[in-house]
Amino acid sequence: MSTTLGSFIAGGMAACGAVTVTHPFETVKIRLQLQGELQSKLDAPRMYKGVFHGVKVIAQNEGPKGLFRGIGAAYVYQMILNGCRLGFYEPLRKGTTTAIFKDPNVQSLGVNIFSGAASGILGAAAGSPFFLVKTRLQSYSPFLPVGTQHGYKNARDGFRQIYTNEGIKGLYRGVGAAMVRTGFGSSVQLPTYFFAKRRLIKHLDMKEGPALHLASSTASGFVVCCVMHPPDTIMSRMYNQTGNLYTGVLDCLLKTVKTEGLLAIYKGFFAHLARILPHTILTLSLAEQTNKWMRRFENRVLPTAIKDKY
């Protein structure tokens, strides 16, 4: 395997490749989640009627620029989040397994879930300011606005305005929701990926390669979307608010369900699925390749004493 730093870089590279393809669906998802915020179904206008309608109206009114709002902040966030998630997962899993079972090769579902959640939470906390700015850039529309609108010129201007008006605390607004959301997703992403991979090899005799990576990633992506979407909706609203519309994660959840109904926390689910499936497939499939490249690179440049540890 690659070193921890090598895995961090390889994971970040894989995620950036994936987000380039899936970012437009993320933009639609966020606008669907914010649409009709704290309004009853009868009072809330539906400007975005679904995944493909959302892509269509944004492209027509704002062009490709509208679909790719916040892509720069998304790249940095993905490098941090998935670098942590893919880079720290295996060291955490091995360390915890060794401490409990005295054997790093033992496969424990509980340890795998813990390692996935812990590595994801680390990444979410570190990258939260970038996701905050990304969300606000994506929610902004001069033609079909939903939720609170933030007229940032770009990510740098967003950081400047938030820091000037709210300080460091403002940059970490909603970080609790982000950690819950990413902890949920990360706790199942890698464990379900490796679980599906082992089962496909054992029961269908699939061989190591792109087909196995694709099938395992698809199973993982679907589970991640089902588990992560409700806290994802809460996070989007927490990030996009200004002032104290919501005092915290639980307050946001209760207000949303009370005003809009229980299904409100699943707003934008199909847009999320349209984004998370290809994103998970591309991230995990590309990670297999980027880790191979990183191992080759490290084998050429690292001293033997360091390589022997990994």
Side-chain angles (χ1 to χ4, degrees), residues 71-111:
I71 187 70
Y75 282 141
V76 179
Y77 175 75
Q78 290 295 333
M79 280 294 296
I80 295 170
L81 172 66
N82 286 288
C84 288
R85 190 153 58 182
L86 299 175
F88 295 146
Y89 172 78
E90 194 60 20
L92 278 170
R93 188 198 67 77
K94 281 195 170 184
T96 307
T97 303
T98 301
I100 297 173
F101 300 103
K102 312 302 181 187
D103 181 359
N105 296 314
V106 171
Q107 287 293 331
S108 164
L109 180 61
V111 170

Side-chain angles (χ1 to χ4, degrees), residues 27-108:
T27 301
V28 174
K29 182 208 75 175
I30 286 173
R31 295 193 187 184
L32 285 168
Q33 288 174 324
L34 295 173
Q35 182 170 254
E37 186 175 16
L38 297 186
Q39 294 177 286
S40 68
K41 290 181 181 179
L42 296 176
D43 297 331
R46 290 189 66 205
M47 291 176 283
Y48 304 99
K49 298 177 182 177
V51 185
F52 298 109
H53 180 262
V55 171
K56 178 183 174 183
V57 296
I58 294 171
Q60 284 178 339
N61 291 292
E62 303 171 48
K65 181 181 177 181
L67 289 168
F68 283 92
R69 288 186 190 277
I71 187 70
Y75 282 141
V76 179
Y77 175 75
Q78 290 295 333
M79 280 294 296
I80 295 170
L81 172 66
N82 286 288
C84 288
R85 190 153 58 182
L86 299 175
F88 295 146
Y89 172 78
E90 194 60 20
L92 278 170
R93 188 198 67 77
K94 281 195 170 184
T96 307
T97 303
T98 301
I100 297 173
F101 300 103
K102 312 302 181 187
D103 181 359
N105 296 314
V106 171
Q107 287 293 331
S108 164

